Amino acid sequence: LKNKPLACERRITVNSFSADMRCASVFGVVASASAVTPVQKVVQLMNGMLEKGKSEKHEEQVQFAAYKQFCDDTSVEKTRAIQEANEEIESLEAVIAKAEADISKLTKEIAQLDEDISVYEGDLKAATKVRKMEHQDYTETHKDYTESVDSVDSAIALIKRKMYNKKQGGALVQIVQSPLVSMSDKKVLEAFLATSDVGLDVTAPEAAAYEDHTSGIIEILEKLKDKFEDKRTDLEKEAEG
C-alpha cells in the first residue's frame, strides 16, 4: 500500500509526458506548415507568373481577334472601294475617250466652219459692193425716170398753154436724150425743137397751125410719160423684191 501512491504518480507523469509529446508534434507540424522553403517560394512565383502570362495571353488574344476583325472588315471595305474606283475609272476613261473623239470631230468641223466663214465674208463683201453699186444704179435710174416724168409734164403743160419756145426747150431736150425714146420719136421731137417758137402774141391761124403741129407731139410725150412711169414702177417692185 505504501508503494501505490508512487505508482499512481508515475502513471500520471507518463501520461503527462505523452500529452506533452503530442502537443509538441502538433506544434511542429504547424510550425513546418507556416515555414516556406526557397524552392516553394520559387514555385509560388512561377505559378504567379504563369497565371499572369495566361491572363496577358488571353487579353492579347482578345485584342488580336478584335484587330483581326477590324483588318478583315477594312480589307472588305477597301476591296469594294477599289473595285468601285476601278469601275469609275473605266467609266471615266470611256467618257474621256468619247470626249477626245468629239474634240477631234468638232475641231475638224470648226476648221471647216472657219473656212466657210472666210468664204461667206468674202461673198458678203462682194455682195455688199454689188448691192451698193446696184443701189446707186437704182437711185440714179429712179431719179432719171422721175425727172423724165416731170420733164414730160412740164413740156406738155407748156405746149398746151402755147408757151413753148426754144428758150424753154430744156425739158424737151432732156426727154430727147433719154434712151427710152425710140429713134422715130426722137426725130419728131428734134424737128419740133428746131421749128417751134410760139408766144402769147400769135394770131389765130398761127395758133391753129400750132395746135395741129403739136397734137402729135403731145401724144408722143404722153406715151413717153406712161413708159417712164411703168419703168419706174417696175424698178421699185424689183427693188422691193
Side-chain angles (χ1 to χ4, degrees):
L1 291 175
K2 287 182 179 180
N3 291 330
K4 285 183 181 180
L6 181 60
C8 292
E9 183 178 354
R10 286 179 180 176
R11 192 179 295 116
I12 293 171
T13 301
V14 171
N15 291 336
S16 297
F17 177 77
S18 296
D20 290 337
M21 289 300 292
R22 286 194 298 270
C23 289
S25 296
V26 171
F27 287 130
V29 172
V30 172
S32 63
S34 60
V36 179
T37 64
V39 175
Q40 292 174 336
K41 185 67 174 177
V42 171
V43 171
Q44 290 177 357
L45 290 174
M46 292 182 68
N47 288 331
M49 293 175 64
L50 178 61
E51 294 298 326
K52 184 178 179 181
K54 290 180 179 180
S55 177
E56 292 178 351
K57 178 183 178 181
H58 177 70
E59 292 178 357
E60 289 181 0
Q61 286 177 339
V62 172
Q63 292 179 357
F64 177 79
Y67 181 72
K68 184 176 183 301
Q69 185 64 41
F70 169 78
C71 290
D72 292 341
D73 294 342
T74 302
S75 177
V76 172
E77 180 181 354
K78 296 304 180 183
T79 301
R80 183 175 63 253
I82 291 171
Q83 183 178 358
E84 292 176 354
N86 288 333
E87 292 176 356
E88 185 175 0
I89 289 172
E90 292 178 357
S91 177
L92 292 176
E93 286 177 347
V95 172
I96 291 171
K98 184 178 183 303
E100 289 176 347
D102 293 340
I103 290 172
S104 178
K105 178 182 178 182
L106 293 175
T107 300
K108 294 180 181 179
E109 292 179 356
I110 289 172
Q112 183 62 44
L113 291 174
D114 287 338
E115 183 178 352
D116 294 341
I117 289 172
S118 178
V119 174
Y120 295 153
E121 287 177 347
D123 294 343
L124 178 61
K125 186 177 180 180
T128 301
K129 183 177 181 180
V130 171
R131 179 60 179 168
K132 185 177 181 181
M133 295 174 60
E134 290 177 348
H135 179 70
Q136 184 176 357
D137 292 342
Y138 167 81
T139 302
E140 293 177 355
T141 305
H142 190 276
K143 181 181 178 182
D144 290 342
Y145 289 149
T146 301
E147 291 178 350
S148 297
V149 171
D150 294 340
S151 298
V152 170
D153 288 336
S154 177
I156 291 174
L158 290 174
I159 293 172
K160 287 183 176 180
R161 289 162 55 189
K162 302 180 180 65
M163 294 180 63
Y164 191 87
N165 53 48
K166 292 179 181 179
K167 294 181 179 180
Q168 297 174 331
L172 194 55
V173 171
Q174 183 179 356
I175 296 171
V176 172
Q177 294 175 350
S178 173
L180 296 177
V181 180
S182 63
M183 292 301 298
S184 59
D185 292 339
K186 185 177 294 188
K187 290 180 180 180
V188 174
L189 295 175
E190 288 175 347
F192 177 75
L193 284 171
T195 59
S196 62
D197 192 5
V198 180
L200 293 175
D201 55 347
V202 295
T203 61
E206 291 175 341
Y210 177 81
E211 289 180 358
D212 292 338
H213 181 61
T214 58
S215 60
I217 300 299
I218 292 174
E219 184 179 355
I220 293 174
L221 292 176
E222 288 177 345
K223 290 181 180 180
L224 286 175
K225 178 183 177 182
D226 293 338
K227 185 181 292 187
F228 290 144
E229 289 178 342
D230 291 340
K231 289 292 184 181
R232 183 176 63 184
T233 300
D234 293 341
L235 183 66
E236 291 172 349
K237 290 180 179 180
E238 182 179 354
E240 291 176 356

